[in-house]
């Protein structure tokens, strides 16, 4: 049991929803709070299936966890800005769900904040499209709702 | 392969080889294509996203769909900003609407930014908002009340805030505390940021400007404290140690702090016992900042005040990372003094911690590093010393980066040694290479190395001459140069110290204690030539860069081909010259005996007495000049004067602490005798106008000759000039010669360049000595 507990001796296998298997070090896996409790009892032959995570997202998550600088806040900021820079809105959303599911340290805040920035001051239609929300209000209901919060619609960007 | 299904929330791991982690949301399982699920962000993620936007924006999402209709109401962050509203009345209406329509879930974070001047509304709204947050378990509050016009009554912090037990983090900008004397203050705060926070006049405590703050916000529970833009009143004169009882404090950031009047505390002490990260940016203290937190690991510093300087009294700096910031645009324009003071702190910092093995030093600028490097290495004659200094720091960082020595730091001792070098990059690299080649243990130099230390190498009046520096008609180039710290033309009264290690310990034997003995001793006796007064230290360390190289196996132009010089001994500590075990007098001129009275510091505080070895004729002079030292019976009992034991020497050899010294009688002006001394194969003749024939045999087989050479052109009635001195060198034929007793006409660099040519033409190894030069010798 002792060797099993030692974190450096075995890597953790993670299987994504699209069938790819990733081997990560326990140090990395430990930062995914959802799978954390499983790590200490697993050995190198254990495969943990992640039904909500695609290979692309897990790649990004591992990239983040491995690349994040340990020290200076300014370096972390720069790294995070670079990390989200090239992600499309679609990728952002997918990654947010994966990250939210795995409860990845630090990355949940980063993704949520990035998405928040994208929808800030955007029109209802834009945000609906962004989140893929189907409008189930009747036109009358929606108008009433808008009326209720009329002040909320000042200064919204045109898209 | 054993396969055990893993379902639902049961995280009990049986003997299994495969774990199927249950999805959090059952809906996800039904959909094979995760793309379809994008609209189905779990509520917690939506809340998370909405907690990063203003509450106004969050509420707008209620129009998206029925699911979103009330999602905003349970977002755990309330973020109000009056900027998003055209009129104050709308902002007020909005805030009150939100408070009454939100559901009862917790408010973790409250952010409230109000940019206006309507006092009545501000106070009312702030009270409402804080009361609401406090009753909803708020953990974090950020309040920004910008743009208050002066004259309007200050908005006070609602009392509800201080009663709130859930509050962990508080940030206030432009607020005023309530005018209440608190029996209570915050009890649970961990993080506090205060910016432009004026103290209530009634609560002001002039003997400790932080006392009421500490009470109000419960400093003892804080782990992080940021104070920005404070103008404090302080009327005391004692040291101020405002954070000493912040027992949990790990991070402290002070920026743009100042005292209102010229009355500053003696020292501003930072002694929080658990402090790990300290950052001092742009503070305008006109006092010494003493960093005394024993646990410190990170220190950032951005210089701003001319008058403040740093002192570090840490038990260890192992593992400490020091970040010295400097704004790039200041760099070129910034007064010299500014940069100097930044370095000043650095020097002091390193001074006390020579044994630390892991101080990381990074010198960064806000702008690009490469630019900095260019600026710093651009030759600038006026600021040569300082640029060199920068160069060192920069090179160090560069070296670390290049060699990937992130976890293999170079000992501070090497850095200091590097600083004491002539500071040229090449030599610096030499140090680095040396240090790394030796497994980073620092420089090992034998403790039993005898050496000669040149305490002074100049004439009676010293170089620079005051008269040259004050002459309105003629600029003396050499004295101007000598006025710069670290210049080798800077010379005090001729004197040397022989360090003579024996089986019973090392003995310090001084030859001559002239008028400037105190200054010389102050400069060279304490470690690194630094005294206790930090104000003068900066200059001293620059001066001390004129030490010759003391790296094993290194010899460079103008330097002795040393095997090794005893700069460092045991454990790479730099030794302090503590005792004076004997003083030997060459003659009785003021520049040789004028410092006898200063020896009282040693006989009163270091040792019971000092033996003085002096010729009879010179002793007779002393009975007049220093009658109270020779015959202490004239002293009022209890008065502390130097305890000197006079030993009269003839022209015969005598032994001092096991070292045989042979007097070398010479003429110092017509009919006036002065003594040189030979010890081992070293001959020292500091004041000479002629060498009698009978003395020449005593100079035979001389290895190092240290001899008088007053001026470059001609001899005087009492001293050799350079031509005559060289003539004598050719006659005596020592292996190596160092001239001393130079006046202001002898430019160190220029004359040494000339003397170097003699090496090529005649094989004469002749150089000028300089104050602080150390030469290893064999005795």
């Amino acid at each position: 049991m002792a060797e099993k507990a030692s974190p450096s001796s075995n890597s953790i296998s993670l299987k994504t929803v699209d069938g790819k298997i990733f081997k990560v070090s326990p140090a990395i896996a430990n930062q995914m709070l959802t799978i954390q409790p499983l790590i200490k009892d697993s050995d190198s032959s254990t495969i943990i299936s992640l039904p909500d995570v695609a290979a692309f997202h897990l790649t990004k998550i591992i990239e983040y966890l491995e690349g994040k600088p340990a020290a200076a806040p300014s370096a972390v900021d720069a790294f995070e800005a670079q990390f989200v820079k090239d992600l499309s809105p679609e990728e952002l959303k997918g990654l947010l769900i994966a990250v939210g599911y795995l409860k990845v340290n630090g990355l949940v805040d980063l993704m949520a904040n990035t998405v928040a920035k994208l929808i800030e001051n955007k029109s209802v239609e834009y945000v609906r499209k962004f989140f893929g929300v189907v409008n189930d209000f009747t036109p009358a209901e929606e108008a009433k709702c808008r009326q209720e919060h009329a002040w909320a619609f000042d200064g919204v960007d045109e898209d | 392969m054993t396969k055990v299904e893993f379902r639902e929330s049961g995280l009990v791991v049986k003997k299994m080889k495969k774990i199927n982690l249950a999805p959090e949301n059952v809906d996800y399982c039904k959909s094979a294509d995760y793309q379809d699920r994008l609209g189905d962000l779990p509520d917690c993620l939506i809340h998370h996203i909405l907690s990063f936007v203003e509450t106004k924006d969050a509420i707008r999402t209620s129009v998206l769909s029925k699911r979103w209709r009330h999602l905003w109401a349970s977002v755990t962050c309330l973020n109000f900003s009056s900027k998003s509203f055209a009129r104050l009345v709308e902002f007020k209406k909005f805030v009150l609407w939100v408070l009454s329509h939100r559901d009862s879930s917790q408010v973790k974070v409250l952010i409230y930014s109000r940019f206006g001047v309507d006092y009545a509304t501000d106070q009312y709204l702030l009270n409402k908002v804080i009361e609401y947050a406090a009753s909803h378990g708020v953990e974090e509050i950020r309040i920004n009340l910008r743009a208050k016009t002066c004259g309007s009554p200050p908005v006070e912090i609602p009392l509800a805030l201080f009663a709130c037990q859930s509050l962990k983090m508080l940030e206030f900008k432009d607020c005023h505390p309530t005018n209440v004397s608190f029996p209570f203050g915050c009890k649970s705060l961990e993080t506090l940021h205060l910016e432009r926070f004026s103290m209530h006049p009634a609560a002001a405590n002039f003997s400790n400007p932080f006392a009421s703050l500490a009470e109000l916000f419960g400093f003892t529970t804080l782990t992080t404290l940021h104070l920005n833009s404070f103008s404090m009143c302080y009327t005391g004169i004692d040291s101020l140690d405002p954070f000493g009882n912040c027992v949990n404090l790990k991070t402290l950031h002070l920026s743009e702090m100042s005292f209102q009047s010229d009355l500053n505390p003696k020292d501003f002490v930072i002694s929080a016992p658990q402090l790990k990260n300290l950052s001092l940016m742009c503070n305008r203290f006109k006092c010494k900042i003493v960093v005394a937190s024993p646990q410190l690991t990170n220190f950032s510093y951005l210089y701003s005040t001319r008058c403040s300087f740093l002192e570090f009294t840490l038990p260890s700096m192992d593992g400490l990372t020091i970040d010295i910031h400097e704004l790039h645009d200041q760099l070129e324009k910034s007064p010299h003094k500014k940069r100097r003071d930044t370095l000043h702190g650095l020097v002091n910092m390193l001074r006390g911690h020579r044994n630390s093995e892991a101080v990381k030093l990074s010198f960064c600028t806000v702008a690009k590093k490469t630019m900095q490097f260019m600026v710093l290495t651009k030759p600038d004659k006026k600021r040569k010393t300082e640029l060199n200094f920068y160069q060192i720091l920069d090179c160090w960082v560069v070296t670390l980066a290049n060699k990937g020595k992130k976890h293999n730091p170079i000992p501070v001792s090497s850095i200091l040694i590097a600083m004491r070098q002539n500071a040229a990059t090449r030599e610096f690299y030499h140090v680095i290479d040396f240090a790394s080649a030796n497994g980073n243990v620092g420089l090992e130099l034998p403790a039993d190395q005898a050496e000669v230390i040149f305490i002074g190498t100049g004439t009676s009046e010293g170089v620079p001459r005051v008269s040259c520096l004050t002459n309105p008609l003629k600029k003396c180039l050499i004295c101007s140069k000598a006025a710069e710290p670290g210049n080798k033309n800077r010379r005090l009264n001729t004197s040397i110290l022989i360090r003579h290690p024996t089986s019973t310990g090392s003995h310090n034997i001084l030859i001559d204690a002239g008028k400037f003995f105190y200054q010389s001793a102050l400069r060279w006796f304490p470690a690194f030539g630094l005294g206790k007064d930090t104000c003068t230290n900066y200059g001293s360390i620059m001066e001390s860069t004129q030490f010759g190289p003391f790296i094993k196996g290194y010899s460079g132009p103008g330097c002795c081909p040393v095997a090794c010089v005893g700069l460092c001994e045991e454990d790479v500590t730099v030794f302090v010259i503590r005792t004076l075990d004997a003083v030997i007098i060459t003659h009785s001129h003021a520049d040789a005996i004028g410092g006898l009275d200063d020896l009282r510091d040693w006989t009163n505080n270091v040792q019971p007495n000092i033996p003085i070895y002096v010729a009879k004729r010179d002793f007779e002079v002393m009975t007049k000049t220093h009658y109270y030292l020779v015959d202490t019976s004239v002293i009022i009992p209890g008065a502390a004067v130097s305890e000197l034991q006079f030993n009269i020497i003839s022209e015969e050899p005598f032994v001092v602490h096991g070292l045989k010294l042979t007097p070398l009688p010479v003429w110092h002006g017509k009919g006036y005798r002065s003594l040189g001394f030979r010890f081992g194969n070293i001959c020292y003749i500091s004041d000479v106008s002629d060498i009698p024939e009978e003395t020449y045999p005593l100079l035979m087989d001389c290895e190092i000759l240290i001899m008088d050479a007053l001026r470059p052109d001609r001899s005087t009635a009492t001293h050799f000039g350079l031509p005559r001195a060289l003539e004598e060198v050719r006659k005596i034929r020592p292996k190596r010669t160092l001239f001393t007793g130079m006046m202001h006409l002898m430019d160190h660099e220029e004359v040494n360049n000339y003397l170097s040519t003699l090496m090529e033409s005649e094989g004469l190894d002749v150089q000028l000595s300089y104050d602080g030069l150390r030469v290893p010798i064999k005795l």
Side-chain angles (χ1 to χ4, degrees):
Chain A
M1 280 310 281
E3 330 45 275
K4 271 190 182 178
S6 127
S8 56
S9 62
N10 51 352
S11 61
I12 311 288
S13 299
L14 301 176
K15 189 178 172 193
T16 60
V17 70
D18 38 358
K20 296 233 170 64
I21 292 178
F22 290 76
K23 284 192 184 294
V24 299
S25 73
I28 296 290
N30 255 318
Q31 298 190 61
M32 306 176 192
L33 301 188
T34 306
I35 60 171
Q36 203 182 40
L38 306 172
I39 291 170
K40 68 174 189 296
D41 291 312
S42 54
D43 55 41
S44 52
S45 61
T46 310
I47 297 168
I48 301 175
S49 288
L50 308 172
D52 277 331
V53 182
F56 168 76
H57 301 134
L58 192 55
T59 311
K60 288 299 281 184
I61 291 167
I62 294 168
E63 178 192 325
Y64 178 85
L65 291 175
E66 284 179 347
K68 187 176 176 178
S74 58
V76 174
D77 289 351
F79 169 78
E80 290 191 336
Q82 189 60 39
F83 181 80
V84 298
K85 206 181 82 178
D86 298 324
L87 291 173
S88 71
E90 283 306 312
E91 288 168 341
L92 267 179
K93 281 178 289 183
L95 192 52
L96 174 62
I97 290 173
V99 160
Y101 171 67
L102 286 176
K103 299 196 174 70
V104 183
N105 261 345
L107 198 49
V108 184
D109 276 346
L110 173 65
M111 298 315 298
N113 198 354
T114 310
V115 172
K117 293 251 163 55
L118 284 177
I119 62 163
E120 225 170 16
N121 271 341
K122 290 293 192 294
S123 71
V124 171
E125 290 68 28
Y126 179 96
V127 179
R128 254 186 215 139
K129 217 170 111 198
F130 185 90
F131 286 118
V133 175
V134 178
N135 181 10
D136 49 5
F137 284 121
T138 63
E141 278 172 336
E142 188 183 333
K144 185 174 167 258
C145 191
R146 278 181 187 255
Q147 189 55 41
E148 216 171 279
H149 312 306
W151 36 258
F153 295 93
D154 293 340
V156 173
D157 295 349
E158 302 294 324
D159 25 73
Chain B
M1 182 186 270
T2 43
K3 185 172 172 180
V4 181
E5 286 302 310
F6 173 60
R7 290 212 179 278
E8 306 301 324
S9 59
L11 293 184
V12 187
V13 179
K14 302 167 197 166
K15 291 279 176 199
M16 65 175 78
K17 291 296 176 187
K18 182 162 179 171
I19 303 168
N20 282 323
L21 199 57
E24 202 169 64
N25 188 330
V26 195
D27 290 345
Y28 291 173
C29 300
K30 294 173 188 163
S31 164
D33 183 6
Y34 67 97
Q35 289 290 334
D36 291 352
R37 303 194 305 255
L38 285 178
D40 292 333
L41 283 169
D43 284 3
C44 65
L45 279 185
I46 294 178
H47 281 146
H48 210 116
I49 295 169
L50 293 184
S51 70
F52 286 102
V53 301
E54 266 184 48
T55 301
K56 182 186 169 187
D57 292 322
I59 292 173
R60 207 163 54 235
T61 62
S62 64
V63 188
L64 293 181
S65 74
K66 284 179 178 165
R67 182 184 168 213
W68 289 72
R69 186 84 166 88
H70 298 291
L71 274 178
W72 72 268
S74 46
V75 172
T76 56
C77 173
L78 280 179
N79 185 343
F80 300 123
S81 172
S82 69
K83 262 190 184 161
S84 306
F85 294 85
R87 292 166 58 211
L88 178 62
V89 61
E90 283 163 10
F91 177 63
K92 182 181 169 187
K93 218 165 99 185
F94 158 74
V95 171
L96 294 176
W97 187 90
V98 170
L99 296 186
S100 61
H101 285 75
R102 213 181 154 274
D103 69 16
S104 60
S105 56
Q106 191 198 3
V107 177
K108 274 192 185 153
V109 183
L110 168 68
I111 301 171
Y112 182 88
S113 308
R114 167 78 184 97
F115 303 85
V117 289
D118 183 327
Y119 168 70
T121 308
D122 278 336
Q123 190 70 65
Y124 172 77
L125 262 190
L126 189 64
N127 288 353
K128 276 280 179 202
V129 168
I130 285 185
E131 272 164 35
Y132 181 88
S135 64
H136 285 76
V138 71
E139 291 170 9
E140 180 175 337
I141 294 181
R142 299 167 190 269
I143 307 278
N144 184 355
L145 302 177
R146 274 285 155 76
K148 298 292 300 172
T149 50
C150 48
S152 72
V155 174
E156 294 177 348
I157 301 172
L159 276 174
L161 186 139
F162 296 102
C164 180
Q165 294 301 313
S166 55
L167 194 62
K168 298 264 186 294
M169 193 276 175
L170 182 60
E171 179 181 298
F172 270 124
K173 289 180 178 173
D174 298 82
C175 288
H176 294 252
T178 319
N179 179 21
V180 200
S181 55
F182 288 93
F184 57 91
C186 291
K187 298 277 192 303
S188 53
L189 270 189
E190 287 168 8
T191 303
L192 176 66
H193 290 228
L194 293 178
E195 186 177 319
R196 278 187 296 281
F197 186 92
S198 30
M199 293 305 300
H200 203 284
N205 174 349
F206 293 117
S207 62
N208 181 359
F210 294 94
S212 53
L213 279 185
E215 207 176 306
L216 211 52
F217 296 107
F219 271 18
T220 48
T221 58
L222 291 180
T223 57
T224 304
L225 176 62
H226 284 224
L227 298 177
N228 185 13
S229 296
F230 268 60
S231 175
M232 296 163 293
C233 266
Y234 183 74
T235 53
I237 47 160
D238 292 336
S239 297
L240 186 60
D241 183 4
F243 311 111
N245 51 12
C246 298
V247 288
N248 293 305
L249 200 63
K250 301 262 191 317
T251 302
L252 177 64
H253 179 107
L254 299 178
S255 53
E256 296 177 56
M257 308 283 285
S258 62
F259 290 97
Q260 273 169 7
S261 67
D262 279 344
L263 273 175
N264 273 215
K266 192 166 139 274
D267 297 335
F268 189 89
V269 184
I270 295 166
S271 68
Q274 297 291 324
L275 193 67
K276 291 211 174 334
N277 307 301
L278 174 64
S279 156
L280 299 176
M281 302 287 166
C282 302
N283 296 300
R284 294 184 293 274
F285 294 143
K286 291 175 190 162
C287 62
K288 183 162 74 186
I289 301 167
V290 178
V291 180
S293 292
Q295 305 283 326
L296 199 68
T297 54
N298 290 296
F299 176 66
S300 316
Y301 180 61
L302 173 59
Y303 167 78
S304 64
T305 318
R306 279 163 177 256
C307 309
S308 75
F309 49 91
L310 288 162
E311 183 177 288
F312 286 74
T313 52
L314 305 179
S316 162
M317 292 177 90
D318 280 345
L320 181 63
T321 304
I322 301 159
D323 243 325
I324 306 289
H325 295 266
E326 189 160 22
L327 293 169
H328 177 68
D329 55 344
Q330 283 182 352
L331 201 63
E332 278 154 301
K333 285 178 269 175
S334 91
H336 204 62
K337 175 94 165 46
K338 255 190 181 180
R339 295 188 285 137
R340 194 181 176 167
D341 286 358
T342 297
L343 289 175
H344 182 122
L346 188 67
V347 169
N348 278 327
M349 188 160 29
L350 296 173
R351 181 174 63 113
H353 300 277
R354 294 176 289 277
N355 287 325
S356 294
E357 293 290 315
V359 174
K360 271 200 221 167
L361 193 65
S362 72
F363 184 73
C364 48
T365 57
V366 177
K368 285 178 200 156
K369 193 134 197 120
T370 45
M371 281 300 292
Q372 177 208 1
F373 194 76
M374 280 165 59
V375 170
L376 291 174
T377 50
K378 200 169 71 183
D380 180 342
K381 279 206 166 169
K382 275 188 206 158
R383 286 184 277 177
K384 201 176 167 199
T385 329
E386 283 200 27
L387 288 170
N388 281 339
F389 212 120
Y390 269 80
Q391 224 172 346
I392 277 177
L393 296 177
D394 214 31
C395 286
W396 195 61
V397 173
V398 168
T399 306
L400 284 181
N402 286 346
K403 296 191 178 177
K405 283 191 188 295
K406 206 172 159 193
H407 303 294
N408 197 9
I410 289 149
V412 177
S413 48
S414 319
I415 306 304
L416 283 170
I417 287 166
M419 287 177 175
R420 301 181 70 187
Q421 288 278 7
N422 290 339
T425 316
R426 186 174 54 84
E427 287 172 51
F428 180 76
Y429 276 117
H430 191 85
V431 174
I432 300 289
D433 291 339
F434 186 89
S436 44
N438 284 276
N440 279 336
V441 291
L443 302 173
E444 284 176 25
L445 298 161
D448 56 352
Q449 177 67 56
E451 65 172 325
V452 165
I453 303 172
F454 287 78
I455 302 297
T457 60
T459 44
S460 187
E461 67 268 42
V463 184
R465 289 206 314 211
V466 176
S467 61
C468 285
L469 298 180
T470 54
N471 188 345
L473 301 174
K474 190 175 166 243
K475 189 183 177 188
C476 171
L477 283 176
I478 297 171
C479 284
S480 310
K481 272 204 268 180
E484 288 172 26
N487 191 282
K488 287 181 183 172
N489 288 312
R490 182 175 270 222
R491 303 174 186 124
L492 297 178
N493 292 167
T494 307
S495 169
I496 59 167
L497 185 93
I498 307 163
R499 289 188 66 236
H500 178 224
T502 64
S503 52
T504 56
S506 187
H507 296 290
N508 298 321
I509 300 168
L510 183 72
I511 300 187
D512 287 344
K515 293 181 293 175
F516 302 148
F517 170 70
Y518 169 77
Q519 283 92 331
S520 289
L522 180 65
R523 199 158 130 192
W524 307 114
F525 284 16
F528 294 103
L530 295 180
K532 275 191 179 157
D533 179 4
T534 44
C535 283
T536 60
N537 286 345
Y538 180 75
S540 305
I541 194 114
M542 294 319 252
E543 283 163 356
S544 68
T545 59
Q546 58 181 254
F547 267 126
F550 21 77
I551 307 303
K552 206 177 264 183
Y554 174 73
S555 78
C559 303
C560 48
V562 286
C564 176
V565 179
L567 172 73
C568 305
E569 50 185 21
E570 309 88 16
D571 295 320
V572 205
T573 50
V574 173
F575 69 84
V576 171
I577 299 168
R578 174 74 177 163
T579 58
L580 277 179
D581 301 297
V583 177
I584 297 162
I585 303 297
T586 56
H587 67 298
S588 50
H589 285 171
D591 60 346
I593 63 167
L596 287 179
D597 190 70
D598 294 326
L599 300 177
R600 69 168 70 194
D601 187 16
W602 279 260
T603 60
N604 289 337
N605 302 312
V606 180
Q607 58 198 71
N609 57 60
I610 299 176
I612 309 288
Y613 294 82
V614 57
K616 188 155 185 294
R617 57 179 173 273
D618 298 320
F619 179 69
E620 279 159 10
V621 174
M622 284 180 195
T623 58
K624 293 172 190 156
T625 57
H626 292 84
Y627 64 95
Y628 57 96
L629 297 179
V630 176
D631 179 8
T632 47
S633 65
V634 300
I635 307 293
I636 301 161
V641 297
S642 309
E643 273 294 327
L644 307 180
Q645 284 180 345
F646 291 94
N647 303 285
I648 305 299
I649 53 171
S650 61
E651 293 185 352
E652 293 304 309
F654 58 101
V655 176
V656 178
H657 296 297
L659 179 66
K660 181 185 167 193
L661 289 113
T662 308
L664 305 169
V666 293
W667 296 110
H668 180 27
K670 207 176 173 193
Y672 185 82
R673 280 278 188 167
S674 168
L675 293 179
F677 294 97
R678 177 171 183 149
F679 42 97
N681 289 331
I682 293 97
C683 296
Y684 176 74
I685 304 171
S686 60
D687 294 81
V688 55
S689 58
D690 204 4
I691 302 177
E693 270 316 309
E694 63 269 25
T695 301
Y696 281 106
L698 302 172
L699 296 168
M700 277 169 64
D701 300 322
C702 172
E703 277 194 17
I704 302 176
L705 173 67
I706 301 163
M707 196 167 60
D708 191 10
L710 180 71
R711 48 187 297 154
D713 45 357
R714 58 176 172 86
S715 298
T716 67
T718 49
H719 290 281
F720 283 167
L722 190 59
R724 174 74 193 272
L726 285 171
E727 209 175 286
E728 295 295 337
V729 169
R730 291 182 185 106
K731 196 165 166 187
I732 298 165
R733 308 200 65 78
K735 283 192 180 150
R736 180 176 174 213
T737 305
L738 289 160
F739 288 137
T740 187
M742 287 84 67
M743 70 185 295
H744 75 137
L745 296 175
M746 297 276 266
D747 181 67
H748 184 85
E749 211 173 313
E750 200 177 299
V751 175
N752 259 355
N753 286 343
Y754 161 69
L755 293 173
S756 300
T757 63
L758 298 180
M759 181 68 177
E760 287 159 30
S761 57
E762 309 175 44
L764 281 187
D765 183 357
V766 185
Q767 292 280 282
L768 300 188
S769 63
Y770 51 85
D771 287 25
L773 174 67
R774 328 169 77 120
V775 180
I777 53 172
K778 267 189 229 157
L779 292 177

